[in-house]
Amino acid sequence: MFTPDRDPVFLIPGPLSTATATRAAMLRDVDPWTPEFGARTIHLLDRIKALIHADEEFACLPVPGAGVNAVEAMCASLIPRDGKVLCLVNGHYSRQMRDTVQAMGRAFVEHAVDDGQVVGPQVLDDLLNRHPDVTHVTAIHCETVTGALAPLAELADVVARQGRRFLVDGISTFGGVEIDARKTRFDAITVTANKCFEGVPGLGFVICRKQALEAGQGNSHSFSLDLHRTWQVLNEVQSWRMTPPVQVILALEAALDGLQAEGGVAARAARYRANADLVRRRLTGAGFTPLAGDECASPIIQTFHCPRDPKFDLPDLIARMKARDYLFSRGRTAVAVTFRVACIGQIGPGVLNSFIDLFLAELASAGVTDLTPASLMQETANA
Ligand SMILES: *Cc1c(COP(=O)(O)O)cnc(C)c1O
């Protein structure tokens, strides 16, 4: 039975709580091998491009699967086999992107900063001066475990000024943070259906500069993830190369209608920012320490140090909140044990305040009093 009101509240960063209309749109069987569905697909791709003001210089290409498939398709299709990549690393997803680049055998150098921090434009400029052989730079817009938001436009300016190519993982920000492809210069950016679009999982996209796609013909070691082939088929027959995730697409169309009805990306970004400010203000006010500093705190997710109090038992708290229909999660970072609260999806202050009230009540009933970060305690012990 379809019981939309019995689902838990998703405060994990994806998948997330979706609108009933989005889930209801999936209750159809639709033949994707028709000219009508092809036209619908082209319309959907154009709609996604328009959200970041990407013009005719860009193509939007679908990549079925998880977000990581879109990231892999972007790297495989755009980085030449003799290219060299500078991977900016500051958390789980940038480590995964570096590993992706490595797995496909491309040469790379990495520059890592602590989880919770971001690489700034001056540091990037210095790095590129030191590595004139680097052809491509990869970066994550928002690291979705640490909650750190990179200064994308500034980084893009540096890469463009240095004459290199910029590949961006925009999976957790696209649609929920304003991005303007007319001002922020990159060769490609990734997105999935199930984050700020508030759709369901199963489909990603790469928005690519056509010139880079053309130059990338033959780059890909993978047949199914080859964006140049996907682009060719789309241009030739206005259809999919392989069976599309039909119901995911129907849900995404409804989700994008919802985004439009909300007032577009600017309105959604304001709602997420208000959600994130609420979570940060209330949990910081209660005594928790956020991992990311104010200068890079994202509107997507807020991540906090687990406290040193031995009565703070994160798995137990997660289970207790789950029993009350709220899902939140541990954040695996390289520097500290953290928990995180996602601020995206069909949620607002009502749900977030209820979550925090219950969470603080659970802490009090467990007798947790010392919220000093566990990891800071270690630093003090080592000092
Ligand atoms: C969610 C996410 C991904 C992809 O996750 P999948 O589990 O592969 O869908 C990639 N990068 C970032 C920044 C993300 O937030």
Side-chain angles (χ1 to χ4, degrees), residues 6-43:
R6 299 274 311 141
D7 296 326
V9 174
F10 282 67
L11 304 175
I12 56 174
L16 29 82
S17 294
T18 56
T20 305
T22 297
R23 296 191 302 278
M26 291 188 283
L27 300 176
R28 298 287 309 276
D29 288 320
V30 176
D31 175 8
W33 305 118
T34 62
E36 292 72 33
F37 198 83
R40 252 171 108 160
T41 299
I42 305 283
H43 179 65

Tab-separated table of all heavy atoms in Angstrom, residues 6-43:
chain	number	residue	atom	x	y	z
A	6	ARG	N	3.590	7.711	6.434
A	6	ARG	CA	4.215	6.822	7.400
A	6	ARG	C	5.731	6.785	7.237
A	6	ARG	O	6.411	6.100	7.981
A	6	ARG	CB	3.649	5.400	7.252
A	6	ARG	CG	2.164	5.319	7.496
A	6	ARG	CD	1.846	5.149	8.977
A	6	ARG	NE	2.651	4.084	9.560
A	6	ARG	CZ	3.181	4.148	10.779
A	6	ARG	NH1	3.014	5.215	11.505
A	6	ARG	NH2	3.878	3.136	11.245
A	7	ASP	N	6.269	7.467	6.238
A	7	ASP	CA	7.714	7.420	6.018
A	7	ASP	C	8.429	8.284	7.046
A	7	ASP	O	7.899	9.299	7.494
A	7	ASP	CB	8.044	7.931	4.606
A	7	ASP	CG	7.455	7.030	3.532
A	7	ASP	OD1	7.384	5.811	3.763
A	7	ASP	OD2	7.055	7.555	2.473
A	8	PRO	N	9.665	7.883	7.417
A	8	PRO	CA	10.407	8.717	8.367
A	8	PRO	C	10.858	10.032	7.731
A	8	PRO	O	10.800	10.199	6.510
A	8	PRO	CB	11.615	7.841	8.717
A	8	PRO	CG	11.755	6.871	7.603
A	8	PRO	CD	10.396	6.688	7.005
A	9	VAL	N	11.289	10.963	8.550
A	9	VAL	CA	11.876	12.211	8.067
A	9	VAL	C	13.356	11.939	7.790
A	9	VAL	O	14.074	11.451	8.669
A	9	VAL	CB	11.744	13.321	9.129
A	9	VAL	CG1	12.487	14.576	8.677
A	9	VAL	CG2	10.279	13.624	9.408
A	10	PHE	N	13.796	12.253	6.591
A	10	PHE	CA	15.175	11.976	6.190
A	10	PHE	C	16.058	13.195	6.441
A	10	PHE	O	15.955	14.198	5.741
A	10	PHE	CB	15.234	11.604	4.695
A	10	PHE	CG	14.807	10.189	4.415
A	10	PHE	CD1	13.492	9.793	4.612
A	10	PHE	CD2	15.715	9.255	3.963
A	10	PHE	CE1	13.097	8.490	4.363
A	10	PHE	CE2	15.326	7.947	3.709
A	10	PHE	CZ	14.022	7.559	3.908
A	11	LEU	N	16.912	13.090	7.462
A	11	LEU	CA	17.899	14.146	7.710
A	11	LEU	C	19.290	13.612	7.395
A	11	LEU	O	20.299	14.069	7.934
A	11	LEU	CB	17.794	14.642	9.159
A	11	LEU	CG	16.392	15.149	9.551
A	11	LEU	CD1	16.336	15.517	11.019
A	11	LEU	CD2	16.007	16.356	8.693
A	12	ILE	N	19.305	12.572	6.552
A	12	ILE	CA	20.548	12.106	5.951
A	12	ILE	C	20.592	12.833	4.617
A	12	ILE	O	19.556	13.229	4.109
A	12	ILE	CB	20.550	10.577	5.771
A	12	ILE	CG1	19.345	10.114	4.945
A	12	ILE	CG2	20.526	9.898	7.143
A	12	ILE	CD1	19.362	8.628	4.607
A	13	PRO	N	21.784	13.014	4.042
A	13	PRO	CA	21.788	13.942	2.898
A	13	PRO	C	21.379	13.310	1.570
A	13	PRO	O	21.620	13.884	0.534
A	13	PRO	CB	23.234	14.414	2.871
A	13	PRO	CG	24.011	13.329	3.501
A	13	PRO	CD	23.123	12.642	4.482
A	14	GLY	N	20.800	12.201	1.540
A	14	GLY	CA	20.308	11.644	0.292
A	14	GLY	C	20.302	10.125	0.388
A	14	GLY	O	21.280	9.571	0.868
A	15	PRO	N	19.183	9.488	-0.015
A	15	PRO	CA	17.986	10.171	-0.490
A	15	PRO	C	17.349	10.986	0.644
A	15	PRO	O	17.783	10.895	1.780
A	15	PRO	CB	17.067	9.027	-0.924
A	15	PRO	CG	17.561	7.819	-0.206
A	15	PRO	CD	19.024	8.030	0.035
A	16	LEU	N	16.353	11.787	0.264
A	16	LEU	CA	15.764	12.651	1.272
A	16	LEU	C	14.243	12.631	1.198
A	16	LEU	O	13.671	11.919	0.376
A	16	LEU	CB	16.331	14.066	1.146
A	16	LEU	CG	16.778	14.557	-0.226
A	16	LEU	CD1	15.588	15.050	-0.994
A	16	LEU	CD2	17.802	15.640	-0.058
A	17	SER	N	13.615	13.373	2.079
A	17	SER	CA	12.154	13.405	2.100
A	17	SER	C	11.653	14.118	0.853
A	17	SER	O	12.044	15.249	0.571
A	17	SER	CB	11.662	14.136	3.349
A	17	SER	OG	11.998	13.405	4.508
A	18	THR	N	10.801	13.424	0.109
A	18	THR	CA	10.307	13.976	-1.151
A	18	THR	C	8.839	14.354	-1.022
A	18	THR	O	8.142	13.903	-0.101
A	18	THR	CB	10.461	12.936	-2.275
A	18	THR	OG1	9.772	11.735	-1.890
A	18	THR	CG2	11.926	12.602	-2.529
A	19	ALA	N	8.371	15.140	-1.985
A	19	ALA	CA	6.962	15.546	-1.993
A	19	ALA	C	6.090	14.360	-2.415
A	19	ALA	O	6.515	13.513	-3.206
A	19	ALA	CB	6.769	16.713	-2.957
A	20	THR	N	4.893	14.312	-1.893
A	20	THR	CA	3.957	13.243	-2.266
A	20	THR	C	3.734	13.226	-3.779
A	20	THR	O	3.685	12.162	-4.396
A	20	THR	CB	2.614	13.450	-1.531
A	20	THR	OG1	2.892	13.525	-0.125
A	20	THR	CG2	1.664	12.295	-1.770
A	21	ALA	N	3.654	14.404	-4.396
A	21	ALA	CA	3.433	14.469	-5.847
A	21	ALA	C	4.594	13.825	-6.604
A	21	ALA	O	4.398	13.224	-7.665
A	21	ALA	CB	3.253	15.923	-6.279
A	22	THR	N	5.793	13.936	-6.050
A	22	THR	CA	6.972	13.351	-6.696
A	22	THR	C	6.887	11.824	-6.671
A	22	THR	O	7.118	11.156	-7.673
A	22	THR	CB	8.247	13.843	-5.981
A	22	THR	OG1	8.321	15.257	-6.155
A	22	THR	CG2	9.498	13.190	-6.519
A	23	ARG	N	6.535	11.281	-5.503
A	23	ARG	CA	6.420	9.817	-5.400
A	23	ARG	C	5.229	9.309	-6.211
A	23	ARG	O	5.305	8.266	-6.864
A	23	ARG	CB	6.302	9.400	-3.940
A	23	ARG	CG	7.544	9.734	-3.128
A	23	ARG	CD	7.520	9.085	-1.763
A	23	ARG	NE	6.366	9.455	-0.953
A	23	ARG	CZ	6.257	10.566	-0.229
A	23	ARG	NH1	7.254	11.441	-0.226
A	23	ARG	NH2	5.186	10.819	0.460
A	24	ALA	N	4.138	10.066	-6.200
A	24	ALA	CA	2.933	9.629	-6.907
A	24	ALA	C	3.155	9.577	-8.416
A	24	ALA	O	2.562	8.763	-9.119
A	24	ALA	CB	1.774	10.565	-6.572
A	25	ALA	N	4.048	10.438	-8.917
A	25	ALA	CA	4.301	10.485	-10.365
A	25	ALA	C	4.871	9.165	-10.886
A	25	ALA	O	4.829	8.886	-12.086
A	25	ALA	CB	5.255	11.637	-10.686
A	26	MET	N	5.400	8.344	-9.963
A	26	MET	CA	6.035	7.089	-10.389
A	26	MET	C	5.045	5.955	-10.627
A	26	MET	O	5.425	4.907	-11.115
A	26	MET	CB	7.051	6.641	-9.333
A	26	MET	CG	8.249	7.548	-9.259
A	26	MET	SD	9.530	6.889	-8.177
A	26	MET	CE	8.841	7.252	-6.576
A	27	LEU	N	3.774	6.146	-10.309
A	27	LEU	CA	2.805	5.048	-10.379
A	27	LEU	C	2.275	4.862	-11.803
A	27	LEU	O	1.068	4.835	-12.037
A	27	LEU	CB	1.651	5.306	-9.395
A	27	LEU	CG	2.063	5.426	-7.925
A	27	LEU	CD1	0.860	5.779	-7.054
A	27	LEU	CD2	2.707	4.144	-7.431
A	28	ARG	N	3.222	4.790	-12.738
A	28	ARG	CA	2.828	4.652	-14.149
A	28	ARG	C	3.786	3.700	-14.850
A	28	ARG	O	4.961	3.623	-14.494
A	28	ARG	CB	2.940	6.024	-14.864
A	28	ARG	CG	2.057	7.125	-14.336
A	28	ARG	CD	0.598	6.939	-14.710
A	28	ARG	NE	0.406	6.699	-16.128
A	28	ARG	CZ	0.325	7.657	-17.059
A	28	ARG	NH1	0.415	8.921	-16.729
A	28	ARG	NH2	0.142	7.361	-18.321
A	29	ASP	N	3.302	3.017	-15.870
A	29	ASP	CA	4.174	2.312	-16.811
A	29	ASP	C	4.195	3.144	-18.080
A	29	ASP	O	3.141	3.429	-18.648
A	29	ASP	CB	3.626	0.918	-17.114
A	29	ASP	CG	3.787	-0.024	-15.935
A	29	ASP	OD1	4.850	0.043	-15.277
A	29	ASP	OD2	2.866	-0.811	-15.675
A	30	VAL	N	5.386	3.541	-18.495
A	30	VAL	CA	5.496	4.392	-19.692
A	30	VAL	C	6.551	3.792	-20.624
A	30	VAL	O	7.623	3.393	-20.174
A	30	VAL	CB	5.893	5.842	-19.292
A	30	VAL	CG1	6.102	6.711	-20.527
A	30	VAL	CG2	4.849	6.475	-18.378
A	31	ASP	N	6.218	3.726	-21.901
A	31	ASP	CA	7.161	3.222	-22.910
A	31	ASP	C	8.175	4.318	-23.231
A	31	ASP	O	7.808	5.363	-23.759
A	31	ASP	CB	6.368	2.846	-24.171
A	31	ASP	CG	7.288	2.427	-25.316
A	31	ASP	OD1	8.514	2.286	-25.094
A	31	ASP	OD2	6.767	2.239	-26.433
A	32	PRO	N	9.454	4.070	-22.899
A	32	PRO	CA	10.440	5.130	-23.161
A	32	PRO	C	10.925	5.155	-24.610
A	32	PRO	O	11.615	6.088	-25.003
A	32	PRO	CB	11.590	4.773	-22.222
A	32	PRO	CG	11.518	3.289	-22.090
A	32	PRO	CD	10.058	2.908	-22.221
A	33	TRP	N	10.577	4.129	-25.407
A	33	TRP	CA	11.121	4.061	-26.773
A	33	TRP	C	10.173	4.691	-27.787
A	33	TRP	O	9.847	4.104	-28.813
A	33	TRP	CB	11.427	2.603	-27.138
A	33	TRP	CG	12.340	1.942	-26.142
A	33	TRP	CD1	12.045	0.862	-25.370
A	33	TRP	CD2	13.685	2.322	-25.811
A	33	TRP	NE1	13.126	0.551	-24.568
A	33	TRP	CE2	14.139	1.428	-24.821
A	33	TRP	CE3	14.546	3.342	-26.239
A	33	TRP	CZ2	15.416	1.516	-24.253
A	33	TRP	CZ3	15.814	3.423	-25.674
A	33	TRP	CH2	16.239	2.511	-24.699
A	34	THR	N	9.691	5.859	-27.473
A	34	THR	CA	8.796	6.565	-28.397
A	34	THR	C	9.359	7.963	-28.643
A	34	THR	O	10.105	8.490	-27.814
A	34	THR	CB	7.385	6.739	-27.783
A	34	THR	OG1	7.509	7.539	-26.597
A	34	THR	CG2	6.752	5.406	-27.425
A	35	PRO	N	8.999	8.573	-29.771
A	35	PRO	CA	9.445	9.951	-30.024
A	35	PRO	C	8.977	10.908	-28.925
A	35	PRO	O	9.686	11.849	-28.574
A	35	PRO	CB	8.791	10.308	-31.368
A	35	PRO	CG	8.467	9.013	-32.004
A	35	PRO	CD	8.231	8.018	-30.900
A	36	GLU	N	7.794	10.638	-28.352
A	36	GLU	CA	7.274	11.521	-27.299
A	36	GLU	C	8.195	11.488	-26.076
A	36	GLU	O	8.510	12.532	-25.500
A	36	GLU	CB	5.859	11.092	-26.856
A	36	GLU	CG	4.765	11.283	-27.891
A	36	GLU	CD	4.842	10.282	-29.045
A	36	GLU	OE1	5.260	9.123	-28.805
A	36	GLU	OE2	4.518	10.672	-30.176
A	37	PHE	N	8.612	10.285	-25.692
A	37	PHE	CA	9.473	10.195	-24.508
A	37	PHE	C	10.841	10.813	-24.809
A	37	PHE	O	11.453	11.450	-23.950
A	37	PHE	CB	9.625	8.739	-24.027
A	37	PHE	CG	10.120	8.655	-22.606
A	37	PHE	CD1	9.244	8.772	-21.540
A	37	PHE	CD2	11.473	8.490	-22.335
A	37	PHE	CE1	9.702	8.726	-20.224
A	37	PHE	CE2	11.942	8.436	-21.022
A	37	PHE	CZ	11.046	8.553	-19.963
A	38	GLY	N	11.300	10.645	-26.064
A	38	GLY	CA	12.561	11.285	-26.456
A	38	GLY	C	12.463	12.798	-26.312
A	38	GLY	O	13.359	13.444	-25.759
A	39	ALA	N	11.354	13.357	-26.774
A	39	ALA	CA	11.154	14.812	-26.697
A	39	ALA	C	11.062	15.252	-25.236
A	39	ALA	O	11.593	16.306	-24.842
A	39	ALA	CB	9.886	15.206	-27.461
A	40	ARG	N	10.408	14.441	-24.429
A	40	ARG	CA	10.307	14.736	-22.986
A	40	ARG	C	11.683	14.755	-22.340
A	40	ARG	O	11.970	15.594	-21.481
A	40	ARG	CB	9.492	13.613	-22.315
A	40	ARG	CG	8.119	14.034	-21.892
A	40	ARG	CD	7.366	12.816	-21.452
A	40	ARG	NE	7.189	12.820	-19.999
A	40	ARG	CZ	6.271	12.098	-19.376
A	40	ARG	NH1	5.481	11.298	-20.056
A	40	ARG	NH2	6.147	12.170	-18.082
A	41	THR	N	12.507	13.816	-22.782
A	41	THR	CA	13.868	13.730	-22.240
A	41	THR	C	14.669	14.981	-22.601
A	41	THR	O	15.326	15.580	-21.750
A	41	THR	CB	14.572	12.467	-22.783
A	41	THR	OG1	13.829	11.325	-22.368
A	41	THR	CG2	16.007	12.380	-22.287
A	42	ILE	N	14.590	15.373	-23.872
A	42	ILE	CA	15.325	16.567	-24.313
A	42	ILE	C	14.849	17.792	-23.513
A	42	ILE	O	15.644	18.620	-23.070
A	42	ILE	CB	15.101	16.830	-25.834
A	42	ILE	CG1	15.473	15.593	-26.660
A	42	ILE	CG2	15.826	18.088	-26.287
A	42	ILE	CD1	16.923	15.332	-26.874
A	43	HIS	N	13.553	17.866	-23.290
A	43	HIS	CA	12.992	18.974	-22.523
A	43	HIS	C	13.535	18.966	-21.089
A	43	HIS	O	13.927	20.007	-20.544
A	43	HIS	CB	11.464	18.889	-22.530
A	43	HIS	CG	10.795	19.981	-21.743
A	43	HIS	ND1	10.889	21.311	-22.110
A	43	HIS	CD2	10.056	19.935	-20.607
A	43	HIS	CE1	10.229	22.042	-21.212
A	43	HIS	NE2	9.715	21.237	-20.304
